[in-house]
Amino acid sequence: MNLKISTKTLELKHTWTISRGSSTSKTYNFIELEAEGVTGLGEAAHNVRYDESLESIHDFLENTRPVLASANPMEYFELGLEIAKLGEGQQAAKAAIDIALMDWNAKKLGVPLYRVLGLRAGKTPLTSYSIGIDTLEVMQQKIIEARDYPLLKIKLGGENDEAIMQAVREVTNKTIRVDANEGWRDRNEALEKITWLAQMGVEFVEQPMPANRLEDIAWLRQRSPLPLVADEDVKTAKDIPALAQAYDGINIKIMKSGGLQEAWRMILLARSLGLKIMLGCMVESALGITAAAHLSPLVDWADLDGNLLIKNDPYQGSYVSEGKIILPNATGIGVQPTF
Ligand code: MG
């Protein structure tokens, strides 16, 4: 297989702020894997939260060349294991390779990826639409602009949570999901916030406290009126058994898991442990989002809106109609370049 690596800059419609920081654009590595005249596409939406950078992802991708050069892309499962052995972390790089391999295989078979996975395209869930932290007026404006999305995800975890939620409720009565992004440091503070949010029409709360505080989360869960969903606390399948004692659900993202294959394993494991499953994303182009969307018929909650925040998306693929994810009917992942 021939590997081509390039970078693309995704310009955001609004400055994106969560409890950790702000950005106005994202520059990521994108790949093409070519063999036998078929090209699989991949994206690495890296995240500094997980010690990934444009350079570290590029270096990891370069290191996959010897494995890929002589590989048979149909052996995607074996190849995934070999790529994983090249090093810890850098999950976004592993995800790019995995997405491209799955795209390649489904294209080679001449069917959409969900067909290879044996899934039913009509079972895709509704996706939430995320509102980043901003001035109250801008957040209200974003909510009004999001009129086509029946579910909203509000980023909290700062000093201003009560004022934000009150401003949100002034302009919408939609179901709200809250993501604290590790923002509440103290479990009593977290419980107070969650108890208050339960009266504000909130469905569940994502990552209320910093990662690796499972005793606090278990304490919180015994008292919380709302389900608690792990995000920063879960990356791959090996994290899941310990979380089942503390959380009600997990947020799986292919950029954290290292791709679709590991996300699939995580879904099966989480189900067997009775956990609810959310499928989330980073800020990603339609390439990464559509790849993940092929798994969405398997999950309870989707938050696959990362490409909706971009104004110059280099790809088009899945789209959202009245909140529901619609998978493309083309072969492979089914994305087309727009450049
Ligand atoms: Mg989150």
Side-chain angles (χ1 to χ4, degrees):
M1 271 180 290
N2 295 308
L3 169 66
K4 233 198 262 178
I5 309 170
S6 62
T7 61
K8 296 189 201 321
T9 297
L10 312 177
E11 305 290 344
L12 304 184
K13 291 175 184 165
H14 293 279
T15 301
W16 177 242
T17 301
I18 62 170
S19 65
R20 271 191 293 279
S22 294
S23 49
T24 54
S25 70
K26 300 274 187 183
T27 301
Y28 295 143
N29 291 284
F30 287 77
I31 65 166
E32 291 179 25
L33 270 182
E34 188 277 325
E36 301 168 34
V38 176
T39 301
L41 305 172
E43 171 175 9
H46 67 266
N47 194 320
V48 291
R49 169 66 179 74
Y50 303 109
D51 299 318
E52 298 172 341
S53 66
L54 191 66
E55 295 71 29
S56 69
I57 296 295
H58 187 268
D59 292 348
F60 191 99
L61 290 169
E62 283 294 339
N63 287 338
T64 66
R65 283 189 194 280
V67 175
L68 296 172
S70 57
N72 176 352
M74 285 192 143
E75 295 171 355
Y76 60 84
F77 178 82
E78 303 281 358
L79 274 169
L81 301 180
E82 285 172 42
I83 301 280
K85 276 191 216 146
L86 294 175
E88 287 288 307
Q90 305 307 313
Q91 301 297 87
K94 294 168 189 166
I97 302 280
D98 180 77
I99 294 166
L101 282 172
M102 301 308 281
D103 189 33
W104 189 96
N105 274 278
K107 279 176 176 161
K108 184 74 176 168
L109 292 167
V111 293
L113 179 59
Y114 68 82
R115 287 273 179 232
V116 179
L117 301 172
L119 301 178
R120 196 169 288 158
K123 274 181 75 185
T124 53
L126 299 177
T127 180
S128 49
Y129 181 84
S130 299
I131 307 293
I133 297 170
D134 214 309
T135 64
L136 299 180
E137 293 70 27
V138 173
M139 289 185 78
Q140 287 181 322
Q141 191 52 41
K142 288 180 183 175
I143 288 167
I144 292 163
E145 285 169 21
R147 61 179 70 79
D148 294 342
Y149 303 95
L151 300 170
L152 297 176
K153 180 158 129 178
I154 306 293
K155 296 286 194 174
L156 296 181
E159 322 245 290
N160 220 7
D161 292 342
E162 284 81 2
I164 289 174
M165 276 307 293
Q166 266 148 7
V168 166
R169 278 296 175 226
E170 278 172 22
V171 290
T172 186
N173 54 14
K174 289 176 183 172
T175 297
I176 303 280
R177 299 165 175 180
V178 160
D179 189 355
N181 281 113
E182 312 181 278
W184 302 325
R185 305 274 144 178
D186 175 89
R187 67 187 191 182
N188 290 302
E189 176 199 7
L191 181 59
E192 252 172 58
K193 299 247 189 185
I194 294 167
T195 305
W196 182 73
L197 288 170
Q199 300 156 12
M200 298 292 284
V202 169
E203 186 180 17
F204 59 75
V205 174
E206 202 178 314
Q207 198 67 42
M209 298 185 66
N212 303 311
R213 301 261 295 268
L214 294 187
E215 273 182 38
D216 285 333
I217 298 293
W219 178 92
L220 206 50
R221 185 194 190 183
Q222 284 176 354
R223 294 157 178 82
S224 170
L226 296 177
L228 305 177
V229 179
D231 181 2
E232 284 84 346
D233 254 324
V234 59
K235 292 191 274 296
T236 64
K238 72 172 168 27
D239 301 322
I240 295 177
L243 299 179
Q245 307 306 317
Y247 281 101
D248 300 288
I250 61 168
N251 184 350
I252 297 173
K253 300 178 180 171
I254 59 174
M255 294 297 161
K256 290 189 299 181
S257 69
L260 295 157
Q261 295 194 72
E262 180 68 5
W264 175 273
R265 291 188 282 268
M266 292 173 78
I267 290 168
L268 301 188
L269 178 56
R271 277 272 175 259
S272 73
L273 293 169
L275 287 162
K276 289 277 197 182
I277 300 164
M278 174 175 182
L279 193 58
C281 62
M282 308 297 179
V283 174
E284 297 167 34
S285 81
L287 174 46
I289 295 298
T290 307
H294 281 269
L295 293 177
S296 71
L298 289 168
V299 306
D300 303 297
W301 303 312
D303 181 38
L304 293 176
D305 64 342
N307 61 325
L308 306 174
L309 309 173
I310 299 167
K311 59 181 174 195
N312 64 336
D313 198 329
Y315 293 97
Q316 58 180 31
S318 62
Y319 63 96
V320 180
S321 174
E322 291 171 22
K324 188 175 165 69
I325 297 166
I326 310 292
L327 291 169
N329 225 344
T331 63
I333 285 166
V335 296
Q336 305 297 332
T338 58
F339 50 90

